[in-house]
Amino acid sequence: MANFCMILQYDGTRYNGWQRQGNTPDTIQEKLETILEHLYGEPVDLNGSGRTDAGVHALHQVANFRIPRMMSRYSCREIQDYFNEYLPADIRILSVQKVDERFHARLNAVGKLYEYRIDCGEIAHIFDRRYLYRVEEPLHVQRMREAAGYLIGTHDFRSFCANRQMKKSTVRTIFDITFEEEDGILYIRYHGDGFLQHMVRILTGTLIEIGMGDVLPSQIPSILDGRDRSLAGFTAPPNALFLVDVFYEDSQEPDN
Amino acid sequence: MANFCMILQYDGTRYNGWQRQGNTPDTIQEKLETILEHLYGEPVDLNGSGRTDAGVHALHQVANFRIPRMMSRYSCREIQDYFNEYLPADIRILSVQKVDERFHARLNAVGKLYEYRIDCGEIAHIFDRRYLYRVEEPLHVQRMREAAGYLIGTHDFRSFCANRQMKKSTVRTIFDITFEEEDGILYIRYHGDGFLQHMVRILTGTLIEIGMGDVLPSQIPSILDGRDRSLAGFTAPPNALFLVDVFYEDSQEPDN
């Protein structure tokens, strides 16, 4: 089999998330698979590195697809150009490359980096407003950093998972949470081995409540220990969340 | 009279331009004057530094309004906060200050800087696509610079004016036209003493045709001399045009 890995970008605003699901229209995966089918004349499965929720964006999503060698008549460049010609303007393929036959975008991913963008400056941003979450109250970032310290590490994040009936493990490892303020925007970056449903948005909502003083940083351990969604904060809206990178073992890393 | 000068920003996408005109709804001026009237309890005229067309944006527009001293009961800060509370999210007041009673945002303006943004990189930008004009063909920027050299200076720009029945002078001075390429975006900046209707967009359309090789830089002098709109290029779309600064004599310059 020939195995192709794509790096792509999308504005998730008008999509029902990454994952194709039954009759739900307008998923990113469905848009891409439709083009793949037109290109090769038969259905081809595309594996994304993971789902992104409805309304969430990707600066760097990774996906791969395999096709029998005898069907593999197009170069990486031709595949990329074909996609970019037929995709709507809110999805772009940044690169396509041939990879080892065993590479799988989801199964081989060892980490992901998400970024949440909070507009907390004195005057709200205009031109990027669709991609920012506006918070009028002042945020005490030092407290948010302190709370993040309790979240980093390997924990059961059931309290931060939207799926209350989740049967699989809700244990995840957060390698790091960083905060950067620039031009009135607070960027919170989450680097972890994987994230549960809505986990980054619930973490962000909880950190915002801590930044506003409604919750204390020292309450985080008991929120984690309670393993109950109702203990954590609100789910921050999707429009300000970006998947910014997906990590693989060095030997499998697709070059950008 | 108390005279207030405001610096403001707007996303022009959903507006019929700056200028209030008869029954045309959704002009920026009308939105602002409605709030001024609510604030002071009677109609107040707002003078913008100049009109911007429907769909054109401003990173820095200047406007002033005068009110009788006895009505002037609000501080600059209160005026700014009142506007930013009631304005839609696509218009923001960056500052309000008291200025000399004689200051007039339009009559005292001695120069303006406009920026046109062309997305000519290999892969189209996604997140800023609403504010970019996408050109797929390669642009020969050196030729565009050469053409700009003929445009700089004091000329009759009638060929670059959308109003074919323009009765007033169509002579304007362009002080400079600069080109900057960054991350696949070509920024063309026009600094002049004033611009005719659609002039920046027609200049841009003409420069794009030159960049694509359809028109030679050396044809600019005859386009200018012909004083005929049909000689110049197409009118580039408004969504990629920004008013980025307005200049006044030093003594009248409102601080940002």
Side-chain angles (χ1 to χ4, degrees):
Chain A
M1 299 286 271
N3 192 4
F4 292 93
C5 173
M6 312 195 305
I7 293 170
L8 66 143
Q9 216 171 54
Y10 49 82
D11 175 339
T13 307
R14 66 187 191 90
Y15 294 99
N16 287 311
W18 168 269
Q19 178 146 314
R20 173 170 42 84
Q21 35 191 339
N23 291 323
T24 308
D26 293 331
T27 65
I28 319 262
Q29 189 184 15
E30 179 223 332
K31 280 266 179 278
L32 294 161
E33 288 183 343
T34 300
I35 291 176
L36 267 182
E37 181 168 352
H38 280 141
L39 181 61
Y40 289 108
E42 62 179 72
V44 180
D45 283 332
L46 186 69
N47 309 306
S49 76
R51 316 170 182 192
T52 51
D53 292 336
V56 172
H57 320 292
L59 295 177
H60 180 112
Q61 169 67 291
V62 178
N64 78 295
F65 63 91
R66 297 194 180 93
I67 48 167
R69 283 197 191 284
M70 57 170 297
M71 275 176 61
S72 178
R73 52 189 176 278
Y74 304 112
S75 70
C76 292
R77 184 71 218 198
E78 286 167 333
I79 295 168
Q80 181 183 8
D81 289 347
Y82 188 83
F83 269 105
N84 284 337
E85 188 170 345
Y86 292 104
L87 279 169
D90 49 12
I91 308 177
R92 288 292 102 177
I93 309 297
L94 303 185
S95 71
V96 174
Q97 60 180 306
K98 269 195 153 164
V99 287
D100 187 285
E101 198 167 332
R102 288 161 301 180
F103 175 81
H104 188 288
R106 179 169 51 81
L107 299 177
N108 294 147
V110 295
K112 285 195 191 129
L113 183 65
Y114 275 95
E115 177 177 284
Y116 200 92
R117 301 180 181 177
I118 301 171
D119 181 2
C120 48
E122 201 197 331
I123 296 169
H125 282 258
I126 285 182
F127 297 100
D128 295 322
R129 66 189 186 282
R130 296 170 188 84
Y131 308 113
L132 294 168
Y133 176 55
R134 175 70 181 159
V135 173
E136 296 279 349
E137 298 91 313
L139 290 178
H140 198 306
V141 179
Q142 194 42 46
R143 273 195 212 133
M144 297 166 76
R145 282 182 208 274
E146 198 185 324
Y150 292 105
L151 292 164
I152 293 168
T154 302
H155 303 283
D156 185 338
F157 285 98
R158 184 167 292 272
S159 297
F160 296 89
C161 176
N163 180 355
R164 288 165 199 246
Q165 273 81 49
M166 176 78 165
K167 297 220 168 57
K168 292 186 236 168
S169 169
T170 45
V171 174
R172 294 291 183 278
T173 299
I174 297 185
F175 305 123
D176 205 6
I177 302 178
T178 63
F179 297 81
E180 191 190 338
E181 287 181 85
E182 201 189 324
D183 199 20
I185 300 174
L186 175 63
Y187 299 87
I188 310 180
R189 300 194 181 95
Y190 302 87
H191 178 201
D193 63 352
F195 296 92
L196 303 162
Q197 194 186 1
H198 294 187
M199 177 169 156
V200 179
R201 293 163 56 194
I202 301 170
L203 288 168
T204 302
T206 306
L207 288 173
I208 289 172
E209 291 179 8
I210 284 165
M212 298 197 299
D214 299 341
V215 178
L216 293 172
S218 57
Q219 288 176 254
I220 294 286
S222 61
I223 294 173
L224 283 166
D225 288 347
R227 304 177 75 250
D228 177 351
R229 169 69 189 90
S230 68
L231 298 172
F234 76 105
T235 306
N239 67 295
L241 181 60
F242 291 78
L243 172 61
V244 296
D245 213 346
V246 183
F247 304 103
Y248 295 91
E249 300 274 347
D250 274 354
S251 61
Q252 301 166 325
E253 190 79 27
D255 309 321
N256 193 340
Chain B
M1 300 287 270
N3 192 3
F4 291 92
C5 174
M6 311 194 308
I7 294 170
L8 65 143
Q9 214 170 56
Y10 48 82
D11 174 339
T13 307
R14 65 187 190 92
Y15 294 100
N16 287 311
W18 168 268
Q19 179 148 313
R20 173 171 41 85
Q21 35 191 342
N23 291 325
T24 309
D26 293 330
T27 66
I28 319 263
Q29 189 183 15
E30 180 223 331
K31 279 268 179 276
L32 294 161
E33 288 184 341
T34 301
I35 291 176
L36 267 182
E37 183 169 349
H38 281 141
L39 180 62
Y40 289 108
E42 62 179 72
V44 180
D45 283 332
L46 186 70
N47 309 305
S49 77
R51 315 170 183 191
T52 50
D53 291 338
V56 172
H57 320 292
L59 295 178
H60 180 113
Q61 168 67 289
V62 179
N64 77 296
F65 62 91
R66 296 192 180 94
I67 48 167
R69 282 198 190 283
M70 56 171 297
M71 274 176 60
S72 177
R73 52 190 175 277
Y74 302 113
S75 70
C76 292
R77 185 68 218 201
E78 286 168 334
I79 295 168
Q80 182 185 5
D81 289 347
Y82 187 83
F83 268 105
N84 285 338
E85 188 169 345
Y86 292 104
L87 280 169
D90 51 10
I91 308 178
R92 286 293 102 176
I93 308 297
L94 302 185
S95 71
V96 174
Q97 60 180 305
K98 269 193 152 164
V99 287
D100 188 284
E101 199 167 331
R102 289 161 300 182
F103 175 81
H104 189 288
R106 179 170 50 82
L107 299 176
N108 294 149
V110 296
K112 284 193 192 130
L113 184 64
Y114 276 95
E115 178 177 282
Y116 201 93
R117 302 180 181 177
I118 301 170
D119 181 2
C120 49
E122 200 197 331
I123 296 170
H125 282 259
I126 283 183
F127 297 100
D128 296 322
R129 67 189 187 281
R130 297 170 186 85
Y131 308 113
L132 293 168
Y133 177 54
R134 175 72 182 158
V135 174
E136 296 279 349
E137 298 90 315
L139 291 178
H140 197 307
V141 179
Q142 194 42 47
R143 274 195 211 133
M144 296 167 77
R145 282 182 207 274
E146 197 185 326
Y150 291 106
L151 293 164
I152 293 168
T154 303
H155 303 285
D156 185 338
F157 285 97
R158 183 167 291 272
S159 298
F160 296 89
C161 177
N163 180 355
R164 288 166 198 244
Q165 273 82 48
M166 176 79 166
K167 296 221 169 58
K168 292 185 234 167
S169 169
T170 45
V171 174
R172 293 290 183 280
T173 300
I174 296 184
F175 305 123
D176 205 5
I177 302 177
T178 61
F179 297 81
E180 191 190 337
E181 286 181 86
E182 202 190 323
D183 198 19
I185 300 175
L186 175 62
Y187 298 87
I188 311 181
R189 300 194 182 94
Y190 302 87
H191 178 201
D193 63 351
F195 295 92
L196 303 162
Q197 195 187 0
H198 294 186
M199 178 170 155
V200 179
R201 293 163 55 194
I202 301 170
L203 287 168
T204 302
T206 307
L207 288 174
I208 288 171
E209 290 178 8
I210 284 165
M212 297 195 301
D214 299 341
V215 178
L216 292 172
S218 58
Q219 288 175 256
I220 294 286
S222 61
I223 295 173
L224 283 166
D225 288 348
R227 303 177 76 249
D228 178 351
R229 169 69 188 91
S230 68
L231 298 172
F234 75 105
T235 305
N239 67 295
L241 181 59
F242 291 78
L243 172 61
V244 294
D245 212 346
V246 184
F247 304 104
Y248 296 91
E249 300 274 346
D250 274 353
S251 61
Q252 301 167 322
E253 191 79 26
D255 309 320
N256 193 341

